[in-house]
Amino acid sequence: MACANLAYGPWERESAGTICQVGGSGARFVNPTGDYAFFRLRLDGSLSVSSGRLEVEGEVGPGVAGFVYVVDRFNRILGQAPLSSTTYFDSEDEGACSLLVKVAPASEMRVSSLVVEGGEGFGPTFAFESVCSRLSGRVAVVVPSYPSSESLYPCAFVHARVRAYIEAGLECEVIVAADCAGLSLYEIDGVRVVRTDMDGFERILQSKRFDAVALHFFAPGFAESLDRALPENTPLILWSHNPETRYWDWPLFTARYFQPTPELSDECRLEFARRDEILARYNRKANVNWVFVSDALKARSEELLGFSFERAGRRASRIVCVRRFDDVASYALDIVAQVIVELSGRPVFEELEFDIYGAGPLFGELTEPIAGFANVRLHRRFLSRAELAETFSDHDIALFPTRFDSQGVAMGEAAMTGLAVVSSDIPAARNFLPADRGLLCDVEDPVQYADAIERLHRDGEYFASCARACRERVYATCRREVTVDREIELIRSLAL
């Protein structure tokens, strides 16, 4: 079923003292009262639909814009749409639906276009595929609420951050995951926003495969969804604004004037103990990074929880190198030692940690110049694949100078784990790593490598951008679609 512009439909005023005017530019809903007002348009007869898509266009008059709801015959909300949005709804009830416009007190809302399409093909699968096809961002910012035409205040500070991310060139999508009906897509200030329930959130995570997920207001409900749906090793950034990690201080948040500080109930203690387990488990995950709004909040949270937060926005200070110590000069392990010696003469050296892994006949000779440094750990052994992944996840910078390489597998694995990779300016490295970030150095110049490591350590934003660029470059050149899948096509074309 396709409908004409329903903004011109026969609207019913359900609140006394309100105004509804339908004219050349659509519908004008005016609420001069002190309570919320509602206006209804019944979708019955040929307009009746139980699953469909609602598109709303309009503008805010004086006051605050409202919402357009799709409700069933029992007034249960099937979908909610702000201005300039597309909303998908679905109902098991075959009875007639209605459109319900909600206008805030002392406010006016103008709707220029309101179109409903529906029918058998407009069910949940169609809705999900339609929304996902319009998502192109590589980073998902997840929140429980977000500004819209109805209210500019919920999570406004996140909106300011997202706009800054986009201005800096990050491709972002905002996902509002909450207890809401329907599936909506809208834009505000150039930011694309998806509003969905937790089931929809999980389906999007499984379908889109974002390069990173950044989540504000981490709570047990989000943990359950992430456990089920977040692809393994996807970088996850968790913010703590206070209650996410400092809930044991809840009596301080809720204390009243001139009253004693309340005691935690047994129910709260059980719930908080459950949250402790969740936070401890996520803190052990190699793909999880924490962001605290203040050092004081981080310190108090760690005091209450009894553990330190890993990867909590600290400087890039842990450097790793994994190589074979055979008598093959292309591995450039002499350069690794020279770089560390060069850094040892700088004030920054005491802030750095080095782990050198590998084995071979020249291990002792090549590591002899750095064996006496307290912050250099020498591991004379090879790593299994599982150990390699875990080792990379425990570090920030991978040091892989090379005189000759055709690819550099470990280098690529480090980049995909989220490390900034410092290597040599040779053709193979330029092919697999970003050549414009200052990470590729003259093969024989230890000062250049040391300069790159020191800058990564001192400049957090530079480190983050380099780590992201390394991952993106390796993904673009080495992901399955452009390697293994193409090999399979070649074999099939020749063997079948």
Side-chain angles (χ1 to χ4, degrees):
M1 177 204 73
C3 297
N5 187 351
L6 298 179
Y8 298 92
W11 292 93
E12 304 170 7
R13 291 185 298 117
E14 296 198 343
S15 304
T18 60
I19 301 170
C20 176
Q21 296 177 333
V22 176
S25 59
R28 175 172 172 258
F29 305 98
V30 183
N31 177 22
T33 74
D35 297 316
Y36 281 98
F38 295 90
F39 305 82
R40 185 182 298 270
L41 178 64
R42 301 182 186 278
L43 301 180
D44 50 19
S46 62
L47 299 180
S48 181
V49 61
S50 58
S51 298
R53 175 174 59 204
L54 167 66
E55 296 186 351
V56 181
E57 295 292 340
E59 61 182 6
V60 182
V64 179
F67 257 83
V68 179
Y69 295 92
V70 183
V71 298
D72 65 13
R73 56 179 173 166
F74 303 106
N75 266 354
R76 293 176 299 203
I77 297 174
L78 306 178
Q80 53 194 66
L83 295 177
S84 302
S85 70
T86 299
T87 296
Y88 299 85
F89 60 92
D90 182 64
S91 173
E92 296 179 357
D93 181 56
E94 296 298 329
C97 297
S98 295
L99 300 181
L100 200 64
V101 172
K102 176 184 177 182
V103 182
S107 297
E108 178 179 326
M109 178 175 170
R110 302 169 191 143
V111 177
S112 58
S113 177
L114 201 161
V115 176
V116 174
E117 294 181 286
E120 293 183 0
F122 284 81
T125 299
F126 169 80
F128 175 76
E129 292 176 350
S130 297
V131 168
C132 283
S133 68
R134 296 170 66 178
L135 302 182
S136 58
R138 304 177 69 173
V139 177
V141 179
V142 184
V143 286
S145 60
Y146 202 76
S148 69
S149 60
E150 181 189 36
S151 176
L152 299 177
Y153 300 109
C155 287
F157 64 92
V158 179
H159 182 48
R161 280 175 164 84
V162 172
R163 293 179 67 187
Y165 298 162
I166 294 174
E167 289 173 2
L170 286 179
E171 299 175 19
C172 294
E173 305 285 359
V174 174
I175 302 175
V176 180
D179 184 17
C180 60
L183 182 63
S184 296
L185 182 68
Y186 68 93
E187 286 196 12
I188 179 169
D189 299 329
V191 177
R192 186 167 40 234
V193 183
V194 177
R195 181 185 281 125
T196 182
D197 59 16
M198 298 306 288
D199 288 341
F201 169 54
E202 292 178 21
R203 292 188 67 190
I204 291 173
L205 285 185
Q206 292 169 331
S207 174
K208 291 303 296 181
R209 297 278 176 165
F210 293 99
D211 288 349
V213 174
L215 194 154
H216 291 262
F217 302 105
F218 182 57
F222 276 120
E224 293 169 3
S225 290
L226 293 170
D227 287 344
R228 287 190 290 261
L230 185 68
E232 187 177 359
N233 295 327
T234 299
L236 176 63
I237 305 169
L238 300 177
W239 269 258
S240 175
H241 300 281
N242 199 47
E244 300 92 336
T245 58
R246 199 181 166 186
Y247 40 80
W248 286 107
D249 275 342
W250 191 257
L252 302 179
F253 309 157
T254 57
R256 306 175 109 186
Y257 285 112
F258 316 117
Q259 299 292 326
T261 302
E263 295 286 337
L264 283 174
S265 67
D266 291 340
E267 183 180 3
C268 280
R269 291 183 181 278
L270 287 173
E271 169 61 20
F272 293 169
R274 183 170 76 98
R275 294 190 180 200
D276 285 355
E277 295 176 357
I278 293 172
L279 287 181
R281 179 165 59 85
Y282 268 75
N283 194 45
R284 293 191 295 269
K285 290 177 176 286
N287 64 315
V288 172
N289 297 268
W290 302 90
V291 177
F292 289 82
V293 296
S294 72
D295 291 336
L297 173 59
K298 177 177 179 289
R300 178 57 177 164
S301 299
E302 291 176 337
E303 180 183 353
L304 291 169
L305 295 167
F307 59 77
S308 297
F309 283 93
E310 299 292 335
R311 298 167 297 281
R314 61 188 175 193
R315 287 183 175 183
S317 59
R318 298 162 299 180
I319 299 98
V320 65
C321 177
V322 182
R323 283 294 202 187
R324 297 181 63 89
F325 283 78
D326 296 333
D327 193 4
V328 180
S330 63
Y331 291 141
L333 286 162
D334 56 328
I335 300 297
V336 171
Q338 292 177 43
V339 172
I340 294 175
V341 170
E342 167 64 27
L343 285 167
S344 72
R346 305 185 184 190
V348 72
F349 186 64
E350 293 183 358
E351 302 172 12
L352 303 176
E353 301 175 23
F354 298 84
D355 285 287
I356 312 299
Y357 287 88
L362 293 188
F363 186 91
E365 181 178 345
L366 290 170
T367 61
E368 190 275 333
I370 56 178
F373 294 122
N375 56 344
V376 176
R377 294 179 289 269
L378 303 176
H379 309 270
R380 192 167 190 164
R381 66 186 183 89
F382 292 119
L383 295 169
S384 68
R385 291 196 61 80
E387 289 176 322
L388 183 64
E390 183 177 354
T391 298
F392 282 152
S393 68
D394 285 337
H395 291 80
D396 308 304
I397 301 168
L399 177 58
F400 281 103
T402 178
R403 294 187 173 93
F404 176 83
D405 249 317
S406 57
Q407 179 177 1
V409 176
M411 178 178 67
E413 291 176 338
M416 287 304 296
T417 308
L419 279 68
V421 180
V422 177
S423 188
S424 304
D425 191 10
I426 65 171
R430 287 195 298 272
N431 188 78
F432 293 100
L433 291 173
D436 59 347
R437 301 291 174 138
L439 300 176
L440 302 183
C441 309
D442 182 275
V443 178
E444 307 295 336
D445 188 350
V447 175
Q448 286 191 23
Y449 299 97
D451 288 345
I453 290 172
E454 182 168 1
R455 184 182 176 189
L456 288 167
H457 171 69
R458 296 193 181 281
D459 189 339
E461 291 186 4
Y462 173 67
F463 164 71
S465 68
C466 286
R468 183 170 58 251
C470 287
R471 188 177 190 277
E472 290 174 351
R473 180 64 178 164
V474 171
Y475 179 80
T477 55
C478 300
R479 70 185 188 277
R480 175 176 174 134
E481 290 86 346
V482 296
T483 55
V484 176
D485 285 356
R486 292 178 64 184
E487 294 167 14
I488 292 172
E489 291 177 7
L490 175 62
I491 293 170
R492 282 176 173 169
S493 69
L494 298 175
L496 299 180

